[in-house]
Amino acid sequence: MNRKTKQILGRVSSIALLAVLSLFINFYRNTPDSETPLETSKRADIVEVHFIDVGQGDAILIEANDATMLIDAGENNKGKIVADYLESQHITKLDYVIGTHPHSDHIGGMDTVLNEFEIDKIIMPSATHTTDTFEDLLDAIKENDLKITRAAVGDQYNLGSATFTIIAPNSPQYEDLNNYSVVIKLTFGNTSFLFTGDAGKMSEEEMLSSGIDLSADVLKLAHHGSAYSSSGAFLDAVNPTYAMINVGKDNDYGHPHAETLQAMLDRNIKVYRTDEQGTVVFTSDGKNISVNTHDYKILENDLKN
Ligand SMILES: [Zn+2]
């Protein structure tokens, strides 16, 4: 056999090998079992919580079976980011929209969402604010024929096979607008999530003395990790495994504050933050919770103010 024949034979046998391989691959690809269930099971009995990266502000999408909820929608100029994200999740309708409190980093983008999606119920606290941003939201509520459902502590709602309960605000009036934040606890099977808006220590004290079970696996840290929220007593009562911080890079407030991150370290709570990790998604099957990214390793520098 000369060299040329050998080369040709070698080529022919590797082509034959490839052909056999691709036959195998196609065979397994076309086996119906390996293909179908993924998309349907996602909608079956799983809850997904998407902490959408909107810079400094909050926007949280919750999908439970086919039911959907949006908590806050970021600043005025972030409405499109939120709407695009919802579209990427094939959402056309929201069963609930919660505007936690009237600050622009929470309700700024909400008018865009109300105008672009079909909304079933919008829940807000009994608080007003004399800003154009808040007026825009009220206009959008009116134009879309929606009626505000006032957040009332103890009210419980179904979201697919999950439920959520309103646990704050507990007082009719506050000096600090942040304390009006609607706080909800979402429960799915044995797992739970606590969403706190920008509730401050005063609201936390009220939740603590109300005697309600605050324990949750995942805590959305209040007020972007500010030290004016997340008191030790509150954190101990919630006793979360995971803490989520929705926060913008190099924000003007120094969020998240060093004290808050130190409190996470002291309690061995796994931290996730949108400024470092972008959008973070938690998934619960009712028993276990998984996260689409690793936790954030707190640095020495994070612990200095
Ligand atoms: Zn805020």
Side-chain angles (χ1 to χ4, degrees), residues 56-58 72 100-101 103-106 178 197-198 220 223-224 246 255:
Q56 183 73 4
D58 278 12
D72 292 334
T100 59
H101 66 296
H103 279 150
S104 65
D105 58 322
H106 295 254
N178 290 322
D198 281 357
K220 200 274 328 174
H223 203 176
H224 323 288
N246 289 51
H255 294 155

Side-chain angles (χ1 to χ4, degrees), residues 2-280:
N2 66 25
R3 208 173 46 167
K4 202 152 193 195
T5 329
K6 259 192 200 161
Q7 268 178 358
I8 290 167
L9 273 178
R11 233 175 258 164
V12 168
S13 61
S14 50
I15 288 168
L17 191 66
L18 275 178
V20 171
L21 263 179
S22 72
L23 265 178
F24 259 98
I25 290 167
N26 275 324
F27 173 75
Y28 279 105
R29 241 193 228 154
N30 292 332
T31 310
D33 273 9
S34 63
E35 218 172 77
T36 34
L38 278 179
E39 200 46 36
T40 37
S41 73
K42 186 198 163 195
R43 294 281 169 250
D45 241 3
I46 276 181
V47 167
E48 285 182 358
V49 180
H50 306 245
F51 295 92
I52 306 166
D53 179 15
V54 288
Q56 183 73 4
D58 278 12
I60 305 158
L61 167 69
I62 302 163
E63 295 184 78
N65 313 94
D66 287 324
T68 53
M69 167 156 76
L70 181 73
I71 304 174
D72 292 334
E75 278 286 356
N76 272 307
N77 59 353
K78 302 292 196 242
K80 188 166 176 350
I81 290 180
V82 175
D84 287 351
Y85 191 87
L86 297 184
E87 266 161 36
S88 78
Q89 298 298 306
H90 312 293
I91 285 169
T92 54
K93 176 185 182 258
L94 290 162
D95 296 279
Y96 304 94
V97 171
I98 297 182
T100 59
H101 66 296
H103 279 150
S104 65
D105 58 322
H106 295 254
I107 52 96
M110 203 164 270
D111 51 347
T112 306
V113 173
L114 298 192
N115 291 334
E116 285 188 29
F117 298 85
E118 189 194 329
I119 312 293
D120 210 28
K121 203 184 258 308
I122 179 162
I123 301 172
M124 288 165 62
S126 299
T128 53
H129 202 23
T130 50
T131 56
D132 289 345
T133 301
F134 191 61
E135 292 297 327
D136 285 348
L137 173 58
L138 296 181
D139 287 346
I141 289 170
K142 211 183 265 174
E143 280 158 23
N144 290 285
D145 284 325
L146 293 165
K147 203 173 150 274
I148 299 172
T149 300
R150 293 296 171 194
V153 168
D155 280 0
Q156 204 171 54
Y157 299 91
N158 291 323
L159 183 76
S161 39
T163 56
F164 67 92
T165 309
I166 293 174
I167 61 173
N170 284 278
S171 291
Q173 270 183 328
Y174 297 96
E175 238 171 76
D176 180 358
L177 206 52
N178 290 322
N179 281 324
Y180 283 97
S181 288
V182 177
V183 177
I184 68 160
K185 181 173 170 176
L186 177 90
T187 305
F188 176 56
N190 293 325
T191 63
S192 51
F193 295 75
L194 199 65
F195 303 97
T196 54
D198 281 357
K201 285 180 176 168
M202 176 184 264
S203 175
E204 289 176 355
E205 270 169 36
E206 291 173 342
M207 285 185 264
L208 284 167
S209 56
S210 78
I212 198 163
D213 174 19
L214 294 173
S215 67
D217 301 297
V218 182
L219 170 64
K220 200 274 328 174
L221 283 182
H223 203 176
H224 323 288
S226 161
Y228 297 106
S229 300
S230 302
S231 68
F234 187 74
L235 291 175
D236 290 341
V238 180
N239 192 23
T241 307
Y242 310 97
M244 183 69 218
I245 309 177
N246 289 51
V247 66
K249 239 188 179 65
D250 305 320
N251 63 78
D252 298 337
Y253 314 97
H255 294 155
H257 287 153
E259 295 91 324
T260 308
L261 292 172
Q262 183 65 57
M264 298 298 112
L265 266 189
D266 294 345
R267 289 169 180 78
N268 227 348
I269 300 169
K270 289 192 169 102
V271 171
Y272 299 81
R273 44 193 288 187
T274 53
D275 60 341
E276 294 288 339
Q277 301 171 285
T279 295
V280 179

